């Protein structure tokens, strides 16, 4: 997967040089819902979706990483910037740790429970991917709201 990431990174860099950061954050977040949606529909008969999901994730993730890093760096005061970046990094890692533990508990609670969605009996991993995709879409809409609000203020 690393070669795909390294190929996508310069492409995203060129795109981001031409477009506003906040708008590209929203677009990259929206595009990143596709791997989660693909994963939700992976079954033993549609394993090709997993390959498509992984490839799309590797193509899109450099865009999100570059946008997050640059937005953070550009919008941070120069004084104590290193401290703020360190705090941000710690909070991101803490969020990842908490999210992973919450996910594990949800998987333990739901066990082998299946839910019929779109004519497919989805197990907990599949419907959690759909929940994640929905949360990313909500995040995109919130980002659009903030970008629109800032545009009106300036």
């Amino acid at each position: 997967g690393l070669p795909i990431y390294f190929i996508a990174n310069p492409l995203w860099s060129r795109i981001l040089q031409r477009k506003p950061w906040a708008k590209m954050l929203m677009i990259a977040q929206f595009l990143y819902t596709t791997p989660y949606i693909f994963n939700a529909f992976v079954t033993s008969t549609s394993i090709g979706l997993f390959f498509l999901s992984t490839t799309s994730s590797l193509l899109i993730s450099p865009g999100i990483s570059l946008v997050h890093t640059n937005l953070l760096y550009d919008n941070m005061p120069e004084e104590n910037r290193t401290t703020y970046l360190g705090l941000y990094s710690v909070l991101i890692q803490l969020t990842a740790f908490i999210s992973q533990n919450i996910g594990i508990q949800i998987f333990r609670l739901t066990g082998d429970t299946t839910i019929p969605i779109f004519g497919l009996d989805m197990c907990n991993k599949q419907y959690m991917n759909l929940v994640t995709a929905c949360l990313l879409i909500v995040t995109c809409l919130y980002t659009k709201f903030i970008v629109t609000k800032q545009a009106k203020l300036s």
Side-chain angles (χ1 to χ4, degrees), residues 56-132:
S56 65
S57 174
L58 290 169
L59 287 171
I60 299 165
S61 61
I64 291 176
S65 297
L66 287 170
V67 172
H68 271 271
T69 303
N70 287 311
L71 272 175
L72 180 68
Y73 191 79
D74 288 346
N75 292 310
M76 210 173 269
E78 284 189 41
E79 185 178 330
N80 297 324
R81 184 175 283 172
T82 305
T83 305
Y84 290 127
L85 286 171
L87 177 62
Y88 176 78
S89 179
V90 168
L91 291 175
I92 290 295
Q93 297 304 318
L94 180 64
T95 303
F97 175 75
I98 292 170
S99 299
Q100 182 180 14
N101 284 300
I102 289 171
I104 289 169
Q105 295 308 316
I106 290 171
F107 290 146
R108 283 186 183 154
L109 289 172
T110 55
D112 293 332
T113 306
T114 59
I115 299 174
I117 301 174
F118 304 119
L120 178 69
D121 284 334
M122 291 192 171
C123 68
N124 54 13
K125 292 163 189 69
Q126 289 173 299
Y127 54 77
M128 284 303 292
N129 274 292
L130 279 182
V131 168
T132 303

